[in-house]
Amino acid sequence: MLELATRNGILVRGHTILWDDAKYQPWWVKSLTPAELKAATDKRVQSVVSRYSGKFVGWDVINENLHFSFFESLLGADASQVFFQQAHQLDTNTTMFLNEYNTIERGDDSKSSPAQYLRKLQEIRNFKGNNGPTGIGLEGHFDKPNIPYMRSAIDMLAAAQVQYLEQILREAYAHPAIEGVIMWAARGPSGCWRMCLTDGNFQNLPTGEVVDKLLDEWKPKRSKGKVDMNGDFKASLFHGDYDVTISHPSMNSTFSQIFKVTTPFAPETLEETPTIILNIQVDV
């Protein structure tokens, strides 16, 4: 089946490696001791993910983890985090999803509200070894759709992703060893690959708003001031080239000086904006 899909350009997603609902466990699984269940889940993740590593666009690692807790009840509270860790190690570049229902369909299911979903996803992402791509996977068990609730739930989930983007960009920009950031955010005729900054009409999406905000915050700004009694002018500057224009009340003209701000890479003394003191002596 996978070969057929590949030949015809059909993307395939792996659903599901494990299911946390006791009702859908094979009969023999329910009789296992915790140690036996640990061995069985290790074998399941290893055999399935290694066989199809790199062939799927995504994996649903554990299904309906917010509503059910079969594996957690026997293997410990961090069982699902461990499953994600194992899957990431076997298929490092494929996005791993937490698949859940009632997150966007209805607001009266407290188990899988957007806040609960994001809390669980953050636990998974913070677990040691879970450094690969993770995504939000939502089932749609709709009856009569509550469109306002659905819209607000998706807004909340999307805003969390925007928050992660800003954190990533700020962390990278603050490090002096980083000389540039490239974002693969172009929009093609069929849409986005991973993340777009604008919609089809080139209007900013929330991700685009974050990028524009940071570009405006980080762009060089003109600094103006007076030297102190010792002839010093203090300013916090980003690395780069600067033109300094100097004038004196008793002079009818100004003169300029060009200098470069650099800091040798020293992890123990990292600063985002080095403090520079210019000593200006004007003979009049």
Side-chain angles (χ1 to χ4, degrees):
M1 184 178 293
L2 180 60
E3 292 178 357
L4 176 65
T6 302
R7 285 198 307 269
N8 289 276
I10 300 171
L11 300 179
V12 180
R13 175 168 167 158
H15 176 87
T16 176
I17 301 174
L18 293 162
W19 198 342
D20 226 355
D21 189 347
K23 181 171 63 175
Y24 294 108
Q25 303 303 323
W27 64 267
W28 59 270
V29 170
K30 298 178 183 179
S31 64
L32 298 178
T33 66
E36 292 170 337
L37 181 62
K38 178 66 168 64
T41 56
D42 288 350
K43 183 177 180 180
R44 164 69 177 177
V45 176
Q46 169 70 34
S47 63
V48 173
V49 180
S50 61
R51 178 174 181 176
Y52 297 106
S53 178
K55 298 178 181 179
F56 292 164
V57 295
W59 285 99
D60 289 333
V61 177
I62 185 161
N63 197 41
E64 300 174 355
N65 180 237
L66 296 178
H67 285 93
F68 307 104
S69 55
F70 173 76
F71 295 106
E72 284 78 4
S73 67
L74 294 170
L75 301 180
D78 61 355
S80 56
Q81 288 91 307
V82 172
F83 299 147
F84 271 82
Q85 178 196 60
Q86 293 172 330
H88 272 138
Q89 290 173 347
L90 294 166
D91 197 355
T92 56
N93 296 320
T94 300
T95 302
M96 304 292 166
F97 290 89
L98 174 66
N99 198 55
E100 194 50 78
Y101 68 91
N102 278 356
T103 303
I104 61 173
E105 301 97 307
R106 49 194 296 177
D108 59 351
D109 189 342
S110 60
K111 290 183 178 180
S112 59
S113 67
Q116 289 292 88
Y117 188 104
L118 291 172
R119 179 192 60 78
K120 184 62 179 181
L121 189 63
Q122 193 61 43
E123 289 178 0
I124 292 169
R125 286 172 166 166
N126 289 340
F127 193 75
K128 183 179 179 181
N130 284 344
N131 302 318
T134 53
I136 294 174
L138 304 174
E139 300 177 36
H141 295 188
F142 287 98
D143 184 9
K144 181 180 179 180
N146 183 341
I147 298 302
Y149 173 76
M150 178 182 177
R151 184 179 298 120
S152 65
I154 294 176
D155 283 345
M156 183 174 180
L157 296 170
Q161 302 307 298
V162 169
Q163 177 186 354
Y164 297 141
L165 173 63
E166 182 169 349
Q167 291 173 352
I168 291 168
L169 292 177
R170 286 190 180 279
E171 188 67 22
Y173 188 76
H175 200 294
I178 301 296
E179 297 186 0
V181 176
I182 298 174
M183 297 183 64
W184 294 88
R187 188 178 187 91
S190 59
C192 297
W193 176 56
R194 285 285 177 85
M195 177 184 66
C196 279
L197 301 183
T198 70
D199 60 20
N201 295 317
F202 298 101
Q203 299 299 309
N204 265 1
L205 296 171
T207 48
E209 294 294 335
V210 166
V211 172
D212 281 352
K213 180 185 76 171
L214 295 180
L215 288 175
D216 182 67
E217 177 183 326
W218 293 336
K219 69 182 180 183
K221 295 178 175 62
R222 184 179 297 275
S223 181
K224 184 178 181 180
K226 296 181 179 180
V227 298
D228 60 20
M229 61 183 299
N230 297 316
D232 294 336
F233 175 70
K234 184 177 181 180
S236 293
L237 306 173
F238 291 107
H239 300 161
D241 298 321
Y242 290 87
D243 292 324
V244 179
T245 301
I246 303 168
S247 63
H248 191 276
S250 64
M251 300 171 58
N252 294 323
S253 61
T254 62
F255 67 94
S256 298
Q257 181 176 338
I258 299 175
F259 69 95
K260 180 187 291 288
V261 177
T262 60
T263 299
F265 176 62
E268 68 277 6
T269 60
L270 295 182
E271 293 185 15
E272 179 180 341
T273 53
T275 298
I276 306 298
I277 299 178
L278 300 178
N279 183 267
I280 302 170
Q281 300 295 331
V282 180
D283 296 326
V284 295

